[in-house]
Amino acid sequence: MTEPVDDHAADSPAEELPVVAPRLRDLRRRAGLTLETAARRVGLSPAHLSRLETGRRQPSLPMLLSLARTYSTTVSDLLGEVAPEQQPVFRGGEAQASEAGGWTYWPMGGAGRAMQALRVFVPPHDGQATLVRVHPGEEWLYVLKGRLRLTLGDTVQLLDPGDAAHFDSLTPHRIAAASPDGTELLFVHTLMQSGTAELCLGDGARRGL
């Protein structure tokens, strides 16, 4: 679900996510992590994480999810989106769309909670479709439009509108659109952490998983 990590690729400004770079650096320092330690936990090289922190590379949504877990926060917090205190209702028409790694998503839950809710649009022919993710916690998703291809371990499931999936995130998984116009879904995940299992970025694609 993310672009292959290529530390030799040309750097480009993260124009769509200007607040992320300084926020990433600040959260890492608050967590007391060196660049090398944080990069290892996230599954990136120190050079790649450094480019994200200086705004020379734009993180994909899976990278943001992994960074949020590592720093015990949410994607909304990384993007500087602060929900009103104790706000229990989130209006669909008021949600601000963001794009990361080709995916479009709308925060549908509050920051600083134990789980995060998003409405996500997965485009067709997605460059992130080969990413295998493995991390602690649980995930729940519900297909709103289009067809979704969900790979859990060695099993591939095709989900239609109205179908849902709820699974342990330690099961290697991939998410991809299976419709020519893309797929829209509701996505909820927990923000659990572990020192032995982190989000995999790119390696799964090279292993052919």
Side-chain angles (χ1 to χ4, degrees):
M1 281 189 322
T2 189
E3 60 183 5
V5 175
D6 181 3
D7 292 322
H8 300 290
D11 294 339
S12 59
E15 297 178 354
E16 298 175 4
L17 303 171
V19 74
V20 173
R23 184 73 175 137
L24 290 180
R25 184 171 56 250
D26 182 56
L27 286 171
R28 175 176 61 77
R29 290 174 177 174
R30 289 186 185 182
L33 299 175
T34 65
L35 188 69
E36 290 73 16
T37 299
R40 183 173 63 253
R41 292 186 180 183
V42 176
L44 299 173
S45 70
H48 194 90
L49 181 56
S50 177
R51 291 186 179 105
L52 296 179
E53 290 188 355
T54 54
R56 289 153 55 199
R57 294 295 296 267
Q58 177 179 325
S60 65
L61 177 55
M63 286 183 186
L64 290 174
L65 290 171
S66 183
L67 288 163
R69 292 188 183 96
T70 299
Y71 301 144
S72 300
T73 187
T74 65
V75 170
S76 296
D77 186 37
L78 288 180
L79 295 175
E81 299 167 354
V82 180
E85 187 70 20
Q86 303 297 324
Q87 174 65 32
V89 176
F90 296 84
R91 306 293 182 184
E94 298 175 359
Q96 297 295 314
S98 299
E99 183 174 325
W103 289 27
T104 304
Y105 67 98
W106 298 259
M108 300 303 295
R113 300 299 182 94
M115 62 184 183
Q116 187 165 13
L118 303 168
R119 189 170 101 238
V120 181
F121 175 72
V122 182
H125 312 298
D126 176 29
Q128 302 184 44
T130 58
L131 173 69
V132 178
R133 298 194 300 149
V134 181
H135 55 87
E138 297 181 21
E139 293 189 28
W140 176 88
L141 56 85
Y142 178 90
V143 180
L144 296 170
K145 298 179 182 179
R147 172 173 279 194
L148 182 76
R149 178 180 294 106
L150 174 65
T151 303
L152 294 173
D154 297 326
T155 303
V156 177
Q157 302 279 356
L158 292 176
L159 281 66
D160 292 309
D163 292 341
H166 188 177
F167 54 91
D168 188 327
S169 302
L170 285 176
T171 301
H173 53 284
R174 291 183 292 186
I175 296 174
S179 298
D181 295 324
T183 307
E184 186 173 340
L185 61 140
L186 293 178
F187 175 73
V188 177
H189 70 93
T190 57
L191 295 173
M192 297 174 63
Q193 297 187 77
S194 168
T196 58
E198 302 292 344
L199 183 66
C200 295
L201 300 172
D203 288 342
R206 289 190 287 272
R207 292 195 300 267
L209 294 177

